[in-house]
Amino acid sequence: MNSRDLSSGTFPSPIQNFIQGLHDKYARLEDGKVADYIPELSHANPEWFGISVATVDGQIHDVGHSSVPFTIQSISKPLVYGLALESHGLKPVQAKVGVEPSGDAFNSISLDPQTGRPLNPMINAGAIATTSLIPGESAEAREAMLLRRFSEIAGRNLEIDDAVYRSERDTGHRNRAIAHLLRNAGILTDDPEQPLDLYFRQCSIQVTCHDLAVIAATLASGGVNPVTRQRVLAPLTVGRLLSVMTSCGMYDFAGGWIFNVGMPAKSGVSGGIMAVLPGQLGVAVFSPPLDARGNSVRGIRVCTDLSMAFGLHMFNTPRVVIPALRNIRNGGAVRSRRLRTTEQLATLTREGHGIRLYEFGGRLIFASTELAIHAILADLPNATHAIIDLSRVIDVDQASCKLLLELHDQLAARLKRACLAGARQHALLREYVTTRMTEDGWNHLCRYADRDAALEAFEDDLLKLRPNATRITEVPRLEDQELLKGFGAAELQALQEWLRPVEWPAHQVIMASGSASDALYFIVEGEVSVWVGAEGSEVQVGRLGPGMSVGELALTDRAPRSATVRSLTPVRAWALPFDAYDRLSEMGQSGLQIRLLGNLTRVLAVRLRAANAEIRGLS
Ligand code: GLN
């Protein structure tokens, strides 16, 4: 399907086209033989052929028979190994099963001659030992837990194919022999029939090729299902199970596979193969005819071609590290959304450069974070306050968690203040920090809601507005109002005649965007926020408090309100109605008008300059 798909009006993606091409190419390949040692499997149609590719971001491409259900068989083995690890930790699991490739067939009877341990969890012996570690009070409970976890990993409710289960249970003499050997070696400690039965049940879980791609993408993303966005496995577990898939997933073809395809993978006798490119995508192929080693013939071809064509080999690593530090900005040029008085603005322009805003972006991994830290340490002589801004970071890996935390500690020790901003969204970082320094430590690191709040707090610190962590809450004197600076006592007295006291409780609309403009307000006490944009998508553009005014812009042109202003706390203010202001000239007080306009012009000029500087800094 290379042309535009007119029926749906969409264009097929290049990926979709490519896997469709592979499907066309290999559908004609008739090598291999459908497994029949489990009688029920022999009913599979050799023509069934599906390919699915899922990215860690949840884009899924399906071609061919990608929704035909089949039994998962051995592809269950790495997942059950992961569940065993999560239920018991590494040691008890390693006591029962190793991690060495056997180079043998899947049903080989290879136990370590000394310990009796199966070599790895991907051969049947190791898988049966692993299954015996699934916890639960009863056979039903163990099966329920296994199905529930598999369903979470696949992102939909999976079921067991009873016919295949019964068929294997009744004919699985070799596996039964293996289970009894494990019992003999003391690896299984109870009735071997119990774990054996659960093993047959787990192999009979029904999936589709589409499901397998989602499962593979879940592993690729370190344990987060890309469709449900749920974390279903811990990153450490995923790393471990991918390791055994790499060395043992394709049995006696493991070496050739990793050399040619270069992705951890797992195959099953019903014809499925899933392959995982960590950090990027999952691939699944379903085609029942198998080669002599029990791997799907078409599956191997498709994965090999796909890997070659797109360079998906896991050791084909990107050589360019995108620097994680996108920008270093400083408080002399970039400001919080708090509106400041002219003097405060001047102070910040003069002395604010010590406030450093380190803006990170993209994916933080060891190499990109290391580069960033190098640049930050070189910048430290300029800094008094530091904000490590992670709000534009996509994700952080474990290495960068460690590096970031150490960076923060170093900044906190050497500077007046340091904090993280935009970090609360990063679950792995949170987990890392809380296990090392408790919940309180995390809350302290992220004490400001976002980078703007951090910037505002550090500006306040510089302006000494928060000597004891509380800000100045009241400006009772009229002459301390920003717009009334330089007014003489007589002028203030004359003006006072026209002012009217007003009050609002917290969380009230003081003025609504679009409404008529009839007054300006001098704030005496309390805090307000300024919002622009349509209802539902409003953004906060400013916050201000005592000594500042709102509604003053309209004094110049009487245009409707251009923003919505809300009280954050109870607010007290003086209102100057515009009709009162207009009457000043009739009362022979045009001087007052001119003074007020002069101050307004000065305030606006300072704000405009600051805004211009900030815009310049953005480019
Ligand atoms: N249930 C199958 C068996 O134990 C699984 C083998 C496989 O898929 N390779 O024989």
Side-chain angles (χ1 to χ4, degrees):
M1 203 183 15
N2 274 304
S3 58
R4 190 178 169 192
D5 177 358
L6 289 170
S7 56
S8 67
T10 54
F11 294 93
S13 84
I15 273 277
Q16 184 83 21
N17 279 339
F18 188 83
I19 57 176
Q20 183 66 54
L22 286 181
H23 191 275
D24 296 346
K25 179 173 168 193
Y26 290 119
R28 273 171 265 141
L29 179 68
E30 284 177 359
D31 296 354
K33 207 176 147 302
V34 174
D36 56 8
Y37 76 100
I38 299 173
E40 192 64 27
L41 289 184
S42 66
H43 305 321
N45 182 346
E47 313 230 305
W48 281 336
F49 182 18
I51 308 176
S52 299
V53 173
T55 67
V56 292
D57 302 309
Q59 294 294 329
I60 305 174
H61 301 281
D62 294 314
V63 159
H65 298 105
S66 53
S67 51
V68 170
F70 57 96
T71 52
I72 189 167
Q73 297 300 338
S74 282
I75 302 173
S76 62
K77 292 170 180 174
L79 304 181
V80 174
Y81 185 59
L83 301 188
L85 285 171
E86 294 200 344
S87 305
H88 301 277
L90 187 56
K91 269 213 161 147
V93 176
Q94 276 199 313
K96 302 239 180 250
V97 54
V99 292
E100 294 305 329
S102 68
D104 291 328
F106 69 89
N107 56 5
S108 69
I109 306 185
S110 40
L111 306 183
D112 184 299
Q114 252 108 61
T115 59
R117 265 191 338 170
L119 287 178
N120 67 66
M122 301 294 107
I123 52 172
N124 289 4
I128 295 167
T130 311
T131 302
S132 76
L133 291 167
I134 292 301
E137 291 296 309
S138 61
E140 291 72 36
R142 288 188 283 272
E143 178 179 318
M145 122 91 162
L146 207 130
L147 256 185
R148 179 175 57 78
R149 296 295 304 270
F150 270 54
S151 298
E152 284 169 2
I153 297 169
R156 77 172 179 97
N157 281 333
L158 301 176
E159 286 168 10
I160 289 173
D161 181 331
D162 247 9
V164 174
Y165 157 71
R166 271 184 273 110
S167 180
E168 186 170 10
R169 182 196 59 194
D170 298 345
T171 60
H173 306 301
R174 193 180 172 94
N175 283 332
R176 189 157 283 111
I178 291 175
H180 282 268
L181 279 176
L182 289 170
R183 176 69 184 87
N184 180 59
I187 297 296
L188 299 184
T189 46
D190 267 322
D191 175 15
E193 288 296 331
Q194 290 259 350
L196 184 67
D197 195 64
L198 184 57
Y199 170 74
F200 290 148
R201 305 267 310 153
Q202 107 195 12
C203 287
S204 303
I205 292 174
Q206 268 189 343
V207 290
T208 64
C209 188
H210 178 98
D211 292 333
L212 280 189
V214 173
I215 293 173
T218 302
L219 299 179
S221 73
V224 176
N225 182 301
V227 180
T228 63
R229 308 264 157 190
Q230 215 195 327
R231 170 163 295 287
V232 293
L233 287 166
L236 187 62
T237 310
V238 174
R240 285 172 172 161
L241 69 85
L242 287 178
S243 302
V244 290
M245 279 168 65
T246 307
S247 54
C248 324
M250 301 296 281
Y251 313 113
D252 38 341
F253 186 50
W257 171 271
I258 215 66
F259 189 87
N260 292 318
V261 180
M263 290 187 255
K266 190 71 205 82
S267 63
V269 287
S270 50
I273 294 186
M274 73 166 183
V276 177
L277 182 57
Q280 296 201 48
L281 50 89
V283 179
V285 185
F286 168 53
S287 164
L290 307 179
D291 65 13
R293 290 155 157 149
N295 297 320
S296 166
V297 173
R298 292 189 187 114
I300 289 181
R301 295 295 192 85
V302 167
C303 290
T304 308
D305 281 16
L306 199 63
S307 174
M308 281 303 278
F310 290 103
L312 300 183
H313 196 293
M314 65 176 165
F315 296 143
N316 178 15
T317 49
R319 277 158 293 269
V320 185
V321 175
I322 300 171
L325 190 64
R326 296 294 156 83
N327 246 318
I328 299 180
R329 316 235 256 140
N330 73 78
V334 58
R335 305 265 157 58
S336 71
R337 275 174 263 164
R338 166 155 291 263
L339 295 190
R340 303 287 185 186
T341 66
T342 321
E343 283 108 73
Q344 290 169 344
L345 274 181
T347 310
L348 289 176
T349 307
R350 226 176 29 246
E351 297 163 23
H353 48 259
I355 300 177
R356 309 303 272 189
L357 184 61
Y358 298 117
E359 287 179 351
F360 283 72
R363 295 184 188 279
L364 304 197
I365 55 174
F366 181 89
S368 63
T369 308
E370 205 280 332
L371 262 179
I373 289 178
H374 190 75
I376 291 173
L377 294 181
D379 183 62
L380 275 199
N382 303 314
T384 55
H385 298 68
I387 301 168
I388 302 172
D389 178 14
L390 303 181
S391 51
R392 296 204 179 86
V393 165
I394 298 168
D395 60 25
V396 280
D397 74 349
Q398 198 186 326
S400 48
C401 288
K402 187 170 165 58
L403 293 174
L404 283 175
L405 188 59
E406 278 174 27
L407 172 68
H408 170 271
D409 292 349
Q410 213 179 117
L411 297 182
R414 287 167 55 175
L415 306 178
K416 282 195 179 149
R417 302 265 153 92
C419 70
L420 298 182
R424 291 179 187 173
Q425 52 180 329
H426 297 297
L428 191 68
L429 182 61
R430 183 201 173 111
E431 203 179 297
Y432 186 89
V433 174
T434 46
T435 54
R436 270 156 197 83
M437 46 191 290
T438 76
E439 197 74 24
D440 288 348
W442 170 251
N443 290 335
H444 177 72
L445 285 187
C446 305
R447 58 198 175 281
Y448 304 114
D450 52 28
R451 72 176 229 172
D452 188 61
L455 208 47
E456 180 178 336
F458 288 180
E459 288 168 0
D460 281 1
D461 190 54
L462 194 100
L463 297 168
K464 310 210 168 31
L465 292 179
R466 288 195 202 197
N468 300 314
T470 48
R471 65 167 50 252
I472 289 164
T473 56
E474 202 185 2
V475 170
R477 298 188 319 169
L478 222 39
E479 60 261 49
D480 293 329
Q481 287 288 335
E482 171 74 358
L483 271 187
L484 303 178
K485 290 278 159 68
F487 276 50
E491 285 170 317
L492 287 171
Q493 208 178 355
L495 186 70
Q496 181 78 67
E497 305 266 312
W498 304 97
L499 298 180
R500 163 164 78 65
V502 274
E503 282 183 29
W504 291 274
H507 312 299
Q508 293 284 305
V509 173
I510 292 179
M511 59 183 71
S513 177
S515 63
S517 303
D518 52 1
L520 76 85
Y521 304 96
F522 298 102
I523 298 181
V524 176
E525 187 182 1
E527 300 272 319
V528 306
S529 57
V530 184
W531 302 78
V532 296
E535 224 186 295
S537 59
E538 283 183 312
V539 279
Q540 198 190 137
V541 292
R543 279 183 303 279
L544 47 106
M548 307 291 287
S549 49
V550 288
E552 75 282 5
L553 267 188
L555 184 65
T556 57
D557 62 357
R558 308 299 158 92
R561 302 296 190 195
S562 55
T564 296
V565 177
R566 292 195 181 85
S567 55
L568 291 166
T569 62
V571 169
R572 266 192 315 123
W574 291 109
L576 173 61
F578 288 162
D579 50 11
Y581 170 87
D582 291 339
R583 261 182 284 132
L584 285 174
S585 49
E586 298 159 25
M587 314 302 285
Q589 289 175 325
S590 337
L592 269 184
Q593 284 182 327
I594 293 168
R595 248 191 184 296
L596 203 54
L597 280 182
N599 271 3
L600 180 57
T601 314
R602 180 177 51 78
V603 166
L604 293 181
V606 172
R607 270 188 224 161
L608 188 59
R609 270 193 217 106
N612 283 343
E614 192 164 344
I615 290 166
R616 245 179 282 125
L618 285 175
S619 62

